[in-house]
């Protein structure tokens, strides 16, 4: 007989929420991870994660953002802990660029509350940000950021309180599934359950190989720079931002602590072959791109880097998440390829994955993220053409 109803492999952003929702619904659930919740080895660390409804990536995400925010609020209330900070987010770029045109599409379709700022309004709202004359600024005042490590820790803690078992410190080597049971092998033990959820973050290529989806992991450094005065202070009402320049999309957060403003580049990033062997040092070329952006658009930030961190994006071929029931195993569900914009959704994705693995129909809001969509998976023809083995 199986030891558990469900095993969750990977207790990071999505996995911690899945573990919580399963445990809360009375399911006997085991969570397995190589590292402890809130760790800095995967994709859920570095302090902050933006939450926006004016969703330039695709309007279909907006209903999910609303549901995710509701889940975050409930988590905050149950713990009497603040996790979400509605500092507002500025979207800046050329009117016809992917950022601004994408924001406008979501705003129009879902009536998102966004203001187009005049140059004078922009200067008042973000005195330390230089906006080029041919760039527009769309301000979403109710957007903000989540404290990423605290969110993962909160879900893991609440899951354990609700009866989940959490085992960290050992890597999962392999899993297999039959009609009514699954087996998960770690470095030291074998566990069995009726069902399985796989939420592997950057290790999707290892743990979801049979999906034949060419996930690509990218190295994403972020930096904190020293500031002076009030131009970049969250306490003075300065918002976070996404800024599309001719070189890519950059983002930043106002100063909330002694480390200064946090900035990074959303686009680009070096390919990572082995997430465990990620180079966590400062790469001069990556840093130069960010510092060029700072010189052009945040000119008053000091060139003194106070802290840096390296994280990873797991890109799907079309940059949209892949969340579904496993195509070959009815009792296995997964979430992968969150493509650098998934954290805000982890609260609702965990709830929906819990439903999927327990046999519920796929929620209509998730349907655009299924794994049989065109262009996602390698086919036999791709293998023949590329000679890949
Ligand atoms: C720099 C940066 C900025 C970002 N900014 C934003 C943002 O502003 N807004 C937003 O919404 N999203 C953002 N994202 C994306 C978001 O953080 C990720 O999409 C999300 O955190 C991914 O969660 P996950 O659960 O898929 O992966 P993870 O949180 O990495 O979880 C995967 C877990 O699986 C475990 N695991 C994997 N393989 C094994 C194994 N074999 N054995 C045991 N355990 C295993 C890992 O240890 C890990 O804990 C950003 C990402 C980065 C890197």
């Amino acid at each position: 007989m199986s030891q558990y109803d469900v095993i969750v492999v990977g207790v990071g952003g999505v996995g911690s929420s899945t573990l919580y929702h399963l445990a809360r619904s009375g399911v006997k659930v085991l969570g397995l991870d190589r590292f402890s919740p809130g760790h800095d080895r995967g994709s859920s660390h570095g302090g902050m994660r933006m939450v926006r409804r004016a969703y330039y990536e695709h309007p279909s995400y907006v209903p999910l953002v609303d549901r995710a925010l509701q889940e975050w609020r409930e988590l905050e209330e149950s713990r009497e802990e603040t996790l979400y900070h509605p500092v507002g987010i500025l979207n800046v770029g050329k009117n016809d660029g992917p950022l601004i045109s994408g924001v406008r599409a979501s705003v129009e379709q879902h009536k998102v509350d966004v203001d187009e700022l005049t140059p004078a309004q922009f200067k008042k709202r973000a005195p330390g940000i230089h906006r080029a004359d041919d760039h527009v600024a769309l301000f979403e005042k109710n957007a903000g950021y989540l404290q990423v490590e605290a969110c993962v820790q909160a879900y893991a803690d609440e899951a354990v309180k609700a009866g989940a078992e959490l085992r960290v410190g050992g890597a999962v080597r392999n899993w297999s599934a039959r009609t009514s049971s699954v087996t998960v092998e770690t470095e030291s033990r074998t566990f069995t359950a009726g069902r399985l959820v796989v939420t592997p973050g950057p290790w999707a290529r290892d743990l979801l190989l049979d999906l034949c989806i060419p996930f690509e992991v990218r190295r994403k450094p972020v930096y904190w720079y020293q500031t002076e005065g009030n131009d970049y202070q969250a306490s003075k009402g300065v918002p976070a931002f996404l800024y599309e320049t001719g070189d890519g999309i950059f983002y930043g957060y106002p100063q909330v602590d002694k480390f200064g403003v946090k900035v990074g580049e959303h686009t680009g990033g070096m390919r990572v072959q082995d997430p465990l062997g990620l180079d966590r040092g400062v790469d001069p070329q990556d840093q130069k791109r960010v510092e060029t952006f700072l010189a052009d658009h945040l000119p008053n930030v000091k060139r003194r880097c106070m802290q840096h961190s390296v994280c990873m994006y797991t890109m799907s071929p079309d940059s949209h998440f892949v969340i579904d029931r496993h195509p070959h195993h009815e009792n296995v569900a997964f979430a992968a390829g969150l493509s650098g914009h998934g954290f805000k959704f982890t609260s609702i994705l965990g709830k929906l994955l819990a439903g999927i693995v327990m046999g519920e129909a796929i929620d209509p809001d998730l349907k655009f993220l299924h794994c049989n969509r065109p262009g996602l998976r390698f086919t036999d023809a791709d293998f023949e053409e590329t000679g890949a083995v």
Side-chain angles (χ1 to χ4, degrees):
M1 205 180 116
S2 297
Q3 296 162 283
Y4 302 94
D5 297 326
V6 184
I7 296 175
V8 177
V9 172
V11 187
V14 193
S16 59
S17 160
T18 310
L19 196 69
Y20 166 81
H21 287 290
L22 284 166
R24 285 272 302 224
S25 61
V27 168
K28 192 174 179 213
V29 59
L30 168 69
L32 296 171
D33 204 296
R34 188 184 264 125
F35 304 113
S36 298
H39 66 85
D40 66 355
R41 306 279 115 173
S43 295
S44 301
H45 61 274
M48 297 142 146
R49 290 294 186 269
M50 287 189 194
V51 181
R52 341 168 235 118
R53 293 188 74 236
Y55 217 72
Y56 83 91
E57 290 89 342
H58 200 283
S60 297
Y61 286 99
V62 180
L64 279 174
V65 181
D66 293 340
R67 294 172 70 181
L69 268 169
Q70 181 59 32
E71 294 297 328
W72 291 120
R73 275 185 215 109
E74 285 175 22
L75 182 65
E76 286 183 312
E77 278 164 24
S78 69
R79 287 173 63 85
E80 297 181 11
E81 179 183 8
T82 302
L83 298 166
Y84 179 60
H85 301 266
V87 294
I89 296 181
L90 276 167
N91 298 280
V92 192
K94 284 199 170 166
N95 207 24
D96 57 358
L99 175 64
I100 296 298
S101 57
V103 164
R104 287 197 196 282
S106 281
V107 165
E108 275 160 32
Q109 196 166 321
H110 294 284
K111 309 276 173 284
V112 182
D113 190 4
V114 159
D115 295 319
E116 183 160 352
L117 302 186
T118 63
Q121 288 167 330
F122 184 88
K123 204 168 172 43
K124 201 167 168 207
R125 174 68 59 189
I129 303 181
H130 169 69
R131 177 179 101 166
D133 291 343
D134 58 345
H135 288 169
V136 297
L138 302 177
F139 181 55
E140 185 185 353
K141 60 175 173 297
N142 297 321
Y145 70 86
L146 289 159
Q147 291 171 244
V148 56
E149 291 92 342
C151 289
V152 176
Q153 190 69 60
Y155 268 137
D157 287 351
E158 294 303 311
V160 170
K161 271 194 222 162
E165 190 177 325
L166 176 59
R167 288 176 179 257
V168 296
V172 168
R173 293 284 180 225
N174 202 1
W175 63 266
S176 58
R178 294 168 162 227
T179 316
S180 58
S181 68
V182 298
T183 303
V184 176
E185 289 168 36
T186 71
E187 286 160 333
S188 56
R189 278 190 64 170
T190 298
F191 297 95
T192 57
R195 299 157 196 266
L196 174 69
V197 181
V198 186
T199 44
W203 287 270
R205 288 181 307 205
D206 299 342
L207 289 172
L208 293 169
L209 187 67
D210 62 343
L211 292 178
C212 296
I213 298 174
F215 294 112
E216 185 182 301
V217 180
R218 290 195 194 150
R219 184 179 183 276
K220 302 303 295 188
V222 289
Y223 309 88
W224 284 255
Y225 284 89
Q226 193 181 32
T227 69
E228 268 176 13
N230 291 331
D231 282 1
Y232 301 105
Q233 301 294 329
S235 60
K236 298 293 172 194
V238 175
F241 66 83
L242 278 173
Y243 200 131
E244 184 183 355
T245 73
D247 286 332
I249 297 179
F250 295 80
Y251 61 87
Y253 295 85
Q255 175 156 7
V256 294
D257 56 27
K258 63 180 182 182
F259 296 112
V261 293
K262 174 185 167 183
V263 282
E265 181 178 355
H266 180 53
T267 40
M270 282 181 261
R271 278 189 190 195
V272 176
Q273 295 303 338
D274 171 17
L276 277 182
L278 180 71
D279 176 359
R280 292 174 189 279
V282 172
D283 178 80
Q285 279 183 347
D286 278 335
Q287 191 173 27
K288 192 167 172 226
R289 288 179 63 79
V290 166
E291 293 197 349
T292 302
F293 168 78
L294 288 177
D296 290 345
H297 296 287
L298 276 73
N300 304 332
V301 165
K302 304 280 161 220
R303 286 301 165 275
R304 181 150 179 246
C305 182
M306 306 293 283
Q307 180 173 254
H308 90 281
S309 167
V310 180
C311 192
M312 288 174 277
Y313 286 0
T314 308
M315 306 302 295
S316 75
D318 59 9
S319 302
H320 296 297
F321 316 156
V322 193
I323 298 163
D324 212 334
R325 181 169 283 126
H326 195 287
H328 310 311
H329 309 290
E330 280 284 309
N331 52 347
V332 179
F334 65 90
L338 269 57
S339 302
H341 60 110
F343 192 81
K344 63 185 80 58
F345 299 98
T346 55
S347 56
I348 185 66
L349 294 185
K351 189 173 192 174
L352 297 177
L353 274 174
I356 295 172
V357 81
M358 296 312 289
E360 288 173 17
I362 306 280
D363 190 281
D365 286 343
L366 275 189
K367 285 219 163 129
F368 75 112
L369 302 171
H370 69 87
C371 72
N372 286 326
R373 60 187 190 252
L376 202 57
R377 298 165 71 177
F378 272 141
T379 61
D380 290 345
D382 292 321
F383 282 96
E384 277 157 26
E385 269 170 35
T386 60
V389 284

